[in-house]
Amino acid sequence: MKTFPRIIATLAAILCFASCEKTPVVENPGQEEEILSHDIFYSVSQIAGLPSFSGTTAHVSNEAEWDALLDKFCDMTRDGDQVTFCNANPTRTKKAKEGSSSSPNTITTISREELKAWMKEMEKAGRTVNVTFDEGTGTWHGIAYACFNPQAGDAQEMTCHGALVITPISIMEDPETVYVLALRSSNDEIFIFTVHGMMMISEVAEPSTLIDGYEVSITGMVSTFVDMNGDTFSTLELDVNEGDVISF
């Protein structure tokens, strides 16, 4: 496995992973709480058009800790960040259209409590959640989609060579197009990057000049999934070193 020193040098703040040790969320001891121990992996992007490779795993053991973490996500987005999170051990699925929630997979709201309730339901359904905040209108916007973890038995380790691109994909029931970070190989194959099954969503359709066409060679687990239109697509799950950088 190779390292990619130029990306690490130029995008260190983006590529360097925060320590993935499980960090506890502040508990409210005065509240009667339901035990719901699970781990949430989340990523925060501060640059429009440049999805974040960094991530942290937070352990929540009850409802109060879960609420505190979701409030933290709300505060981050109000500060201008984009937050993406999922259960670190999601229910695995082969199709983007599968899921156990009857709620819509998008939300636009000015209510923090409504947003938090929606995020809880989407996470419970095993989906990845992406949230942003529009300061001009004072509204949160969230989208949720299936988690694309490599599947046991059909994932293959591969070394992919090509250019970094932003590509559209249909992974939600409504017609909203999602743009994600991917690798385009020399024979025009597209491999969409995932970390813990989470795609790296870009807020804009055009890639940042920092990554546009940047040539890379990346080793990871390649899996095939089906989108909402019934078309197949490939993901490249990045190899994450605990408390270090992504290995290329």
Side-chain angles (χ1 to χ4, degrees):
M1 191 171 294
K2 300 177 180 179
T3 59
F4 192 58
R6 287 192 296 170
I7 282 188
I8 295 174
T10 58
L11 303 179
I14 297 158
L15 296 182
C16 290
F17 260 77
S19 173
C20 287
E21 295 178 359
K22 297 171 184 178
T23 54
V25 180
V26 176
E27 179 180 349
N28 180 355
Q31 182 175 337
E32 189 172 344
E33 297 148 344
E34 173 191 357
I35 302 301
L36 41 72
S37 179
H38 59 300
D39 298 320
I40 300 296
F41 179 82
Y42 66 93
S43 178
V44 181
S45 176
Q46 299 176 330
I47 305 175
L50 188 58
S52 175
F53 287 85
S54 62
T56 303
T57 300
H59 180 75
V60 294
S61 58
N62 52 56
E63 192 68 27
E65 292 181 358
W66 190 203
D67 276 337
L69 183 60
L70 292 177
D71 275 319
K72 178 180 178 179
F73 294 161
C74 291
D75 292 339
M76 286 177 170
T77 55
R78 285 190 64 94
D79 289 339
D81 297 335
Q82 175 182 243
V83 175
T84 305
F85 72 90
C86 67
N87 191 305
N89 301 291
T91 300
R92 295 184 173 183
T93 179
K94 282 296 289 181
K95 291 187 178 181
K97 63 180 65 178
E98 292 177 1
S100 58
S101 173
S102 60
S103 295
N105 53 7
T106 63
I107 189 172
T108 299
T109 180
I110 61 173
S111 168
R112 176 184 290 246
E113 295 307 313
E114 182 181 6
L115 176 68
K116 286 168 57 180
W118 177 84
M119 289 192 289
K120 286 181 180 181
E121 186 169 354
M122 294 301 102
E123 185 275 335
K124 187 175 182 181
R127 298 176 184 173
T128 292
V129 179
N130 181 271
V131 181
T132 57
F133 182 77
D134 186 335
E135 187 175 358
T137 60
T139 58
W140 279 280
H141 178 60
I143 62 174
Y145 55 91
C147 195
F148 299 102
N149 277 33
Q151 304 296 295
D154 64 0
Q156 179 182 3
E157 185 175 51
M158 292 177 56
T159 299
C160 302
H161 311 276
L164 297 178
V165 295
I166 298 294
T167 188
I169 186 169
S170 300
I171 52 175
M172 298 191 304
E173 293 174 358
D174 59 35
E176 182 173 353
T177 299
V178 176
Y179 292 90
V180 295
L181 184 63
L183 178 149
R184 176 181 282 120
S185 69
S186 58
N187 59 353
D188 282 336
E189 287 184 281
I190 298 292
F191 298 92
I192 297 171
F193 293 128
T194 60
V195 176
H196 280 261
M198 301 190 325
M199 294 181 178
M200 299 176 187
I201 293 180
S202 173
E203 293 181 308
V204 295
E206 296 299 323
S208 164
T209 55
L210 288 174
I211 65 171
D212 190 12
Y214 209 99
E215 295 290 330
V216 295
S217 178
I218 302 176
T219 298
M221 299 302 294
V222 172
S223 300
T224 301
F225 296 91
V226 180
D227 69 13
M228 299 304 301
N229 297 322
D231 299 321
T232 60
F233 64 93
S234 296
T235 62
L236 178 60
E237 177 76 8
L238 299 181
D239 180 19
V240 178
N241 294 329
E242 296 282 324
D244 201 345
V245 297
I246 296 173
S247 295
F248 293 101

